[in-house]
Amino acid sequence: MQISTLGAAQSGAPAILPDSVAAAALVLGDRSGAVSLFQQLKSYQDLAGRWRGARGGERQALARTLTESPFAQRVQSTLNTFTRAAWAGPDAVPPEPQAKMLAAFDALSPDDQQIVAGVQVDAAGAPAYASPDAYRARLREDLRQAQPRQADSVTLSPQAQAVLAGAPPPAPPPPPQVAPDRAAAIAAYTKLAR
């Protein structure tokens, strides 16, 4: 594997990084439009993942690429636009923030939705959503969960309403009549059970 340099370390010497990192940095620096959004987003995710585990000069070089490259600036601009549109205010209560976030996401262009969904990460730092649709489904579920719960309602029968209003409860029904042949069988069974 060849080694390339990228950026400068704290000491002023260039950080030595693998060619794959330098190639990803070139993808993020593309201004020609020859590199697809998917390729740029994948390179951004890869470098961001590498940055989380990097140290010293490598981390500084990666940070520069992740903040100063043309694609990184596009990511920052897109996230700023999304964040401003999604902000419901400091006094907002659920479900307003969740509804505002979903509306802000839906208002983005398809490419910007791809960027916003692509930079969401899980607890391990890996991309959390495979597509904008997966992220939208999460936002919809968050909104559904934030909706106020409907209270259960009970409809009382007219007799129950009358009792609640103070009327005496109805007399209990008489015990069922047992046929004579069954009464003898029940009595015989009762004697054996003792």
Side-chain angles (χ1 to χ4, degrees), residues 137-160:
R138 171 58 190 266
L139 293 175
R140 285 184 177 150
E141 178 60 17
D142 289 347
L143 177 59
R144 188 188 71 74
Q145 291 288 334
Q147 297 294 331
R149 303 281 185 231
Q150 295 293 331
D152 291 335
S153 62
V154 177
T155 303
L156 298 175
S157 68
Q159 294 86 358

Side-chain angles (χ1 to χ4, degrees), residues 34-175:
V35 179
S36 72
L37 174 64
F38 176 79
Q39 291 171 306
Q40 288 184 311
L41 190 53
K42 178 73 172 109
S43 293
Y44 186 87
Q45 291 167 335
D46 290 346
L47 291 182
R50 186 175 179 101
W51 176 86
R52 282 187 276 284
R55 302 256 186 258
E58 180 183 6
R59 188 173 195 137
Q60 290 177 352
L62 290 169
R64 181 173 295 117
T65 301
L66 290 168
T67 57
E68 297 175 7
S69 67
F71 185 73
Q73 290 176 0
R74 180 180 179 188
V75 167
Q76 291 169 20
S77 174
T78 300
L79 291 176
N80 287 340
T81 299
F82 173 63
T83 303
R84 278 193 302 272
W87 176 243
D91 299 326
V93 295
E96 186 182 357
Q98 292 81 2
K100 191 98 163 144
M101 185 171 258
L102 178 58
F105 185 74
D106 285 340
L108 295 172
S109 71
D111 284 352
D112 287 349
Q113 288 178 359
Q114 186 76 36
I115 290 170
V116 170
V119 298
Q120 306 300 317
V121 293
D122 61 18
Y129 303 99
S131 68
D133 289 338
Y135 186 56
R136 182 180 292 105
R138 171 58 190 266
L139 293 175
R140 285 184 177 150
E141 178 60 17
D142 289 347
L143 177 59
R144 188 188 71 74
Q145 291 288 334
Q147 297 294 331
R149 303 281 185 231
Q150 295 293 331
D152 291 335
S153 62
V154 177
T155 303
L156 298 175
S157 68
Q159 294 86 358
Q161 290 177 6
V163 169
L164 287 174

